Amino acid sequence: RGEKDKASQMNHNLKRAVAIIQEESADLYKDSVDDMEYEVDQNIEENFTETLNEEQEERRRKKEQAKAQQRERQKDIEAKLAEARGRWAAAQEERKQQAEDERRRQERESAKKRAEDEQQKKNDEAEAERKEREKEIQDKLAD
């Protein structure tokens, strides 16, 4: 009977040991799964953060590029505006010069006309004097 008890006790101990080993194995497996899930979560979080950072960097780069393009367009507009202002000022100066030239031409024509009128007046007076003397001479001859 002692042998049977010993065998029964050993069988009981073995079953208990197997149960403990199975329980520890299940705990180890669960810990391993938890570790893998944690690593997967970490990888997902890292990838998400990396992707988010890349997207933010891309948006920042595009915004910077758009600003640079806007600055270039602004420079082009300002250059065209300055060019147009220059052409306008040159045209204004040209018109001013033409008006001045026209004023001078009219002054010259007026002076020329006055001189011609004056000369004509002198000629008319000289002609009148000549006729007067001629008449006087004719009158004297008639006497």
Side-chain angles (χ1 to χ4, degrees):
R1 180 155 173 102
E3 285 293 319
K4 199 174 179 185
D5 283 343
K6 271 187 185 175
S8 177
Q9 185 66 35
M10 278 179 69
N11 192 21
H12 174 71
N13 286 346
L14 277 175
K15 283 182 181 175
R16 223 174 134 218
V18 166
I20 289 171
I21 289 172
Q22 284 177 337
E23 195 177 303
E24 285 182 1
S25 176
D27 285 348
L28 282 173
Y29 177 77
K30 186 180 179 311
D31 287 348
S32 174
V33 167
D34 287 348
D35 287 348
M36 282 192 290
E37 285 176 348
Y38 176 78
E39 281 184 41
V40 166
D41 287 347
Q42 284 298 106
N43 284 340
I44 288 171
E45 190 176 322
E46 285 174 15
N47 286 341
F48 176 76
T49 302
E50 191 176 309
T51 301
L52 187 63
N53 289 341
E54 288 171 357
E55 288 172 355
Q56 286 174 336
E57 178 61 26
E58 180 67 16
R59 281 194 300 274
R60 187 200 62 72
R61 190 186 62 70
K62 284 182 178 177
K63 196 181 285 185
E64 208 37 56
Q65 186 178 18
K67 283 181 184 177
Q69 289 172 342
Q70 180 60 32
R71 283 191 297 271
E72 282 301 311
R73 284 193 297 270
Q74 186 67 31
K75 282 182 190 174
D76 288 348
I77 289 168
E78 287 173 3
K80 288 177 182 172
L81 188 56
E83 184 181 329
R85 283 183 181 141
R87 286 195 309 267
W88 182 83
Q92 287 291 93
E93 190 57 37
E94 177 67 21
R95 283 191 289 277
K96 185 177 168 185
Q97 188 60 49
Q98 286 174 351
E100 181 64 19
D101 291 349
E102 179 60 20
R103 186 188 62 75
R104 285 187 189 135
R105 186 190 65 73
Q106 287 178 358
E107 280 181 2
R108 282 192 310 273
E109 283 183 12
S110 278
K112 183 178 173 186
K113 178 81 170 117
R114 278 193 307 274
E116 287 174 354
D117 289 349
E118 185 110 356
Q119 187 61 48
Q120 187 60 46
K121 186 178 173 188
K122 286 179 183 176
N123 290 346
D124 290 348
E125 287 174 0
E127 181 66 21
E129 279 182 36
R130 186 188 63 75
K131 283 184 179 176
E132 183 68 31
R133 279 193 313 267
E134 201 175 277
K135 188 176 184 249
E136 287 174 5
I137 292 172
Q138 293 252 346
D139 286 348
K140 284 182 184 176
L141 286 179
D143 286 341

